[in-house]
Amino acid sequence: MAAVVGSQDLRTPVVLVLQTLAVAACYYVSGKLGLLRELVVEGAVVTPIWPPTGVSVAFLLIFGLRCWPGIALGAFFVILSITSLTPSALGVLAGNTAAPVAGYLLLRRAGFRTDLARLRDGLALVFLGAFTAMLISSTVGAGLLIVTGKLDGPSFWAVWLAWWVGDAMGVLIVTPVLLLLARIRLPLRLTRWKEASGLALIACCVVPLAAYSWLSLLFLVYPLLIWAALRFQLAGSMLCALFASILATVAATDRAGPFDGLSRVEVMLKLQAFNGAMALTALILSAVITEQIHTRRSVERACQELVEVLEHLTAGESADGRASLEEGGLGRRQDE
């Protein structure tokens, strides 16, 4: 028994260390991917979508608060890969760690469920996990640029807004996809795979056209989102939104299609308006549809249970009626 307890005590720190390293690695990889596409706003380099915020919030929701050292470690290596380690860099590190943790605490206090099957869960992720919590990282980051003299006062709000929207988009687009992947269980049940293949094929044709056409056809993405949400709920809508967001970001940073000829600020505003509206549509619409499906199934189960109860009651009344008739017949025979 002592040997078993000792092995369990040793296993727990090992698992925690491996989990921390895995979270740090995922944060670092997602950060390097986010840095592949950048926008310059008022002389400051920002990312239209910062995936590490979505990765961090997702891991916190899945594993709990114990994975925050992995987030801090991943943020440390991302910052170290692009700049030297200075007090302002450590401040950015603290802000990038505190923002997802704050988002997790707010979501847990709101009773958030990771299946995103309720409208309240979608709204909580939008307004608490993304919009509110990411105020920390953007305020700390832009504030440190002002303090260190790398940014002048009039440019603060433009950089702050770009930083905040980029972090919030990471939560809105990346977190639901990772929560969805965490719930996948093998073997997969492939239902409606023909329709899913058709939707994927059409999306691969329509989304690049919308992102790169000079006619500004970004609105063509929304029918695909609605179709995906109606038929495949969160899995379909968020994967479609992720694909569209990636292509739109690439087109915006290349100044191609509907982003051609725009100033840097206009590119940022147009891209983030599209990404934000698309993510909100996909997330909230799929949550509403999933909630309605669950409500309908609950009503159907209640009706089925009611039918079974009525059948039992009817069978019991019939048995009582036959018993009464048999007793009546036996009484008449005895009288005769």
Side-chain angles (χ1 to χ4, degrees):
M1 179 63 70
V4 173
V5 173
S7 63
Q8 290 179 349
D9 292 340
L10 291 174
R11 190 181 305 140
T12 301
V14 171
V15 171
L16 185 59
V17 170
L18 292 177
Q19 186 182 88
T20 300
L21 293 177
V23 171
C26 292
Y27 189 104
Y28 179 80
V29 171
S30 63
K32 298 303 287 185
L33 290 175
L35 291 171
L36 293 177
R37 294 291 168 172
E38 300 173 343
L39 290 175
V40 178
V41 178
E42 300 295 338
V45 178
V46 296
T47 54
I49 300 175
W50 186 236
T53 57
V55 171
S56 301
V57 174
F59 276 123
L60 286 166
L61 290 171
I62 295 170
F63 297 116
L65 199 57
R66 65 180 181 272
C67 72
W68 75 264
I71 297 171
L73 185 62
F76 172 79
F77 283 113
V78 170
I79 293 174
L80 197 62
S81 68
I82 58 178
T83 185
S84 59
L85 197 59
T86 60
S88 61
L90 292 177
V92 173
L93 169 64
N96 289 350
T97 304
V101 171
Y104 163 73
L105 295 176
L106 289 172
L107 290 174
R108 190 179 66 172
R109 186 174 182 83
F112 179 81
R113 287 187 351 198
T114 57
D115 58 359
L116 288 168
R118 303 174 300 176
L119 177 60
R120 59 176 293 184
D121 297 324
L123 294 175
L125 184 63
V126 171
F127 292 102
L128 297 179
F131 290 170
T132 301
M134 296 307 121
L135 292 172
I136 298 175
S137 56
S138 61
T139 302
V140 171
L144 286 172
L145 291 178
I146 292 289
V147 172
T148 56
K150 297 179 180 179
L151 189 68
D152 55 357
S155 303
F156 170 81
W157 290 111
V159 175
W160 176 88
L161 179 62
W163 197 313
W164 173 66
V165 174
D167 287 357
M169 288 301 103
V171 177
L172 292 181
I173 294 175
V174 177
T175 298
V177 175
L178 294 180
L179 294 178
L180 176 67
L181 293 176
R183 297 178 61 84
I184 292 178
R185 297 295 180 267
L186 298 176
L188 296 176
R189 293 181 297 175
L190 298 178
T191 58
R192 297 199 302 271
W193 64 270
K194 293 182 179 179
E195 183 180 1
S197 301
L199 175 60
L201 181 61
I202 294 174
C204 289
C205 297
V206 173
V207 175
L209 175 64
Y212 283 91
S213 174
W214 61 272
L215 294 175
S216 188
L217 301 176
L218 291 174
F219 61 88
L220 292 178
V221 175
Y222 289 97
L224 294 176
L225 286 179
I226 296 172
W227 178 11
L230 287 172
R231 300 296 292 167
F232 304 100
Q233 287 79 58
L234 184 67
S237 63
M238 291 312 305
L239 289 176
C240 185
L242 178 63
F243 178 57
S245 177
I246 291 173
L247 287 188
T249 301
V250 172
T253 52
D254 289 341
R255 302 292 184 87
F259 304 97
D260 184 23
L262 301 180
S263 66
R264 293 174 177 177
V265 175
E266 290 172 341
V267 169
M268 188 270 294
L269 291 176
K270 187 170 186 176
L271 174 63
Q272 301 298 35
F274 170 72
N275 284 337
M278 182 181 56
L280 288 174
T281 301
L283 186 60
I284 294 178
L285 181 59
S286 60
V288 170
I289 293 172
T290 302
E291 190 175 44
Q292 290 180 346
I293 291 174
H294 288 175
T295 302
R296 186 187 65 189
R297 290 175 179 173
S298 298
V299 172
E300 290 175 351
R301 285 195 298 267
C303 292
Q304 182 64 31
E305 292 174 359
L306 180 59
V307 169
E308 293 175 357
V309 170
L310 292 176
E311 289 176 351
H312 286 302
L313 291 176
T314 303
E317 291 177 357
S318 300
D320 293 340
R322 287 196 299 272
S324 299
L325 290 175
E326 291 175 356
E327 290 176 358
L330 179 60
R332 287 194 296 274
R333 287 195 296 271
Q334 290 176 352
D335 292 339
E336 293 174 353

